[in-house]
Each structure stands twice: as C-alpha cells, then as structure tokens.
Amino acid sequence: MPQKVIAIDGPSASGKGTLAQRVADALGWRYLDSGALYRITALYARNRRTAWDNEAAVAALAQALPVEFVEGSVLLDGEDVSAAIRSEEIGMGASRVAALPAVRTALLQRQHAFLTEQGLVADGRDMGSVVFPDAVLKVFLTASPQVRAERRAKQIGVPLAGAGFERILADIEARDEADRNRTVAPLQKLPEAHLLDTSALTIEESVKKVLDWYREK
Ligand code: DC
C-alpha cells in the first residue's frame, strides 16, 4: 500500500521548504521539514558543548530532543530557535551530524510520527529513499547552483555579485558535495522520482506541477 506521503528531496536551497509547505497547504496535509531536525540536533549539541562528530553522544541528544513545532515556530527546551537554526554555521553542523548513522537512526521514529491519516508532505534528502520509501509520490527537486545561490543571497540581503555572493555559491557547492558523497542516505535521484528543475519556474508553477503529478496517480 502506498503511504499518503509526498516525498520531496533535493539539495540545499533548491526551494524544497517553500514548495513542500505550499503543496501541504493545498492538500490540507501536514508538513515535515526533516532538515530542521538535523539543524536542531546540531544546535542542541553545540549548546550542550558536545562535538558534532561524537556519534554516540550526538545520537543520544537526537533521541531525546526537547523540541516542539508550534504554529510555524521551532521551540527547543521551550526557547524559540526558528532563526538560530537557519544560520550557515548550524547548517554546516547539520550536515556533519547528518553524516552519522546513529543520529539518522535516532531521528527516524520522530519523522515517522509526523505521518497521520491527514497525509504528509515531507522534504529532505532521504524522504523517498529511507524514511518514506512507500510514498505515493516522490519528487527530486533541483536548480542550478547559481540559481540556488541567488535565491539564498536575496533571502539574506547579500548583493548578487562580489565576495559575499561567491562565498554563498561556494558553501552551496560544498554542501552538495558532502550530501551526495556521504555513505549513509546520500542525496540521490531515485529512478521512480519525478525530476523537477525549478531554475526557470515560479513557485506557483512548481506547486502546480507537483499537484498535477499527484492527481495523475
Ligand atoms: O535542508 P536543510 O538545508 O535544512 O538540511 C540541513 C542539513 O541536514 C543538510 O546538510 C543535509 C541534512 N539533511 C539530511 O541529511 N537528511 C534530511 N532528510 C534532511 C537534511
């Protein structure tokens, strides 16, 4: 039986979050931002002075994350960390802790718990391959590194030329490389996933495409 899940996987800054949230709203389904769980784990480890490569200790923290998702905000130990988890530093930490198998296992159950009868749109790197392999629809989202760097720069108010922009582009390329080449749950396009290149699409066009694929099922 296919699961009532739309799995949207893709590289950093490909627009997965916005797309997944809009598709979830259109269908009245829940939304899981799985990357946020890795980011929260990295932040929690840093707060507890635990090294990001200490697999057993970080996995224990991931297992017991005191996290709540309340009306679009992320609370860690009751504190709103929605902005703190979006920093580049925590993004890098997330990429490091996400490479540890015990951490991925510790977060698996938490991700499964998001699925209810209501249906779920889940975004990440391994939604279709590991977490929800029986998802009714799998989408692999991409956009060129240049386009993704421009979107990220606009989001944080950095000019589209110059050293600041070059750094964003280099970070995106480094993160892609790390997420694609790690041994556990690497970012990959599955044969059954629909490829959606958003380089030349508006967000509305991308949402429509995903909803059309779902309705064709
Ligand atoms: O999507 P994001 O940028 O918030 O993800 C942060 C990091 O977490 C990213 O480097 C890869 C990792 N991640 C992962 O390994 N598996 C997921 N399902 C989601 C994110």
Side-chain angles (χ1 to χ4, degrees), residues 6-25:
I6 295 179
I8 301 184
D9 289 304
S12 147
S14 56
K16 297 183 303 288
T18 313
L19 175 69
Q21 179 75 69
R22 298 262 195 116
V23 171
D25 289 346

Side-chain angles (χ1 to χ4, degrees), residues 18-19 31 36-37 39-40 44 112 117 145 159 165 173 193 197-198:
T18 313
L19 175 69
Y31 165 55
L37 293 174
R39 288 172 178 270
I40 295 160
Y44 195 41
H112 288 157
E117 281 176 10
F165 179 76
E173 287 174 335
D197 186 331
T198 66

Side-chain angles (χ1 to χ4, degrees), residues 41-92:
T41 302
L43 177 65
Y44 195 41
R46 201 196 58 182
N47 290 351
R48 294 298 188 96
R49 302 190 194 294
T50 301
W52 284 330
D53 56 4
N54 184 340
E55 182 164 7
V58 177
L61 293 178
Q63 187 79 52
L65 276 187
V67 65
E68 287 170 275
F69 293 87
V70 183
E71 289 164 18
S73 297
V74 183
L75 306 183
L76 179 62
D77 251 341
E79 186 194 337
D80 189 342
V81 294
S82 318
I85 61 167
R86 296 293 150 201
S87 73
E88 278 304 312
E89 187 214 344
I90 295 301
M92 280 298 172

Side-chain angles (χ1 to χ4, degrees), residues 34-35 38-39 94-95 98 104 124-127 175 179 182:
S34 64
Y38 292 95
R39 288 172 178 270
S95 194
R104 305 198 72 86
R125 305 295 190 286
D126 62 342
M127 296 299 97
R175 191 98 63 84
D179 291 345
R182 68 182 180 213

